[in-house]
Amino acid sequence: MEHRILIVEDDADLGNLVRRYLEVKGFGVTLITDGRTAMQELAIGSYAIAVLDVMLPGADGFVLASQIRQAYPSLPFLFLTARRQQADVLKGLSLGADDYMLKPFDVDELVLRIANILRRSGDREKPSQHYVLGDYHFHPQELSLELNGQRRLLTEKESALLEMLCREPGRLLRRTFVLESLWGSADFFNGRSLDVFIGRLRKLLAGDPRLELEVVRGAGFILHTGA
């Protein structure tokens, strides 16, 4: 089945270059140049993933990401942008982005990152797995974390990371293993991204004091469930 990708990029030359390359790789691609039109397209089309620039005319890519997250919480998206300040990276990830990729970029790496996100998304079609973490109920295939009847939708990467921790409760999950499995490499930039996601999971699990997501500096992470 052909995966459809929505690219939101106001540089027509770059956008068309990426569009043509992704089409050669077997994807269906729609190129949009502004956020307002992108939301209109999402309302009528079915997409597997969105690729967003930050510097867009009118409302920027961060505003667009917030709108996507609210209207289509299960749609994965990544940023492809020249905005490389740490504050920008952290803001993009905090909005729920599954990845944040800097320009200039290697188009083959972009294809690989898209494929990795779509693979994790496809895992949701497998038989449903259910984890009980103290008072929480976690359904990774549904990207769902529930506490006292309140349901929170996770991003693809939040769900994948939490599931890795759930598989080995009370045991050290190696940092390099997480980075290579979910980000593709254990470089510094990906490491900072991982730290952001760990911080987000700690906040999500703060509703049950028996749970602790321990960071073992330089080594990895341990999920303590109090069981």
Side-chain angles (χ1 to χ4, degrees), residues 161-221:
L161 177 55
L162 182 56
E163 185 171 19
M164 292 180 76
L165 291 160
C166 288
R167 289 172 180 166
E168 299 287 343
R171 299 180 62 181
L172 179 69
L173 180 64
R174 291 286 177 183
R175 181 180 181 88
T176 53
F177 175 74
V178 176
L179 285 168
E180 290 170 357
S181 298
L182 298 185
W183 273 264
S185 67
D187 62 26
F188 174 79
F189 181 81
N190 289 336
R192 293 306 303 271
S193 177
L194 170 58
D195 292 337
V196 171
F197 276 85
I198 288 293
R200 278 157 51 175
L201 288 184
R202 288 175 119 176
K203 291 180 180 179
L204 288 169
L205 297 175
D208 187 338
R210 294 172 296 176
L211 302 180
E212 179 190 1
L213 180 46
E214 179 185 2
V215 177
V216 182
R217 185 177 297 274
F221 317 97

Side-chain angles (χ1 to χ4, degrees), residues 9 25 51 73 148-149 163 167:
E9 168 63 64
K25 293 295 184 179
V51 179
N148 299 326
E163 185 171 19
R167 289 172 180 166

Side-chain angles (χ1 to χ4, degrees), residues 6-10 30-38 41 56:
L6 180 68
I7 298 178
V8 189
E9 168 63 64
D10 67 333
T30 298
L31 175 61
I32 300 294
T33 58
D34 66 274
R36 181 178 180 180
T37 308
E41 177 62 30
L56 296 170

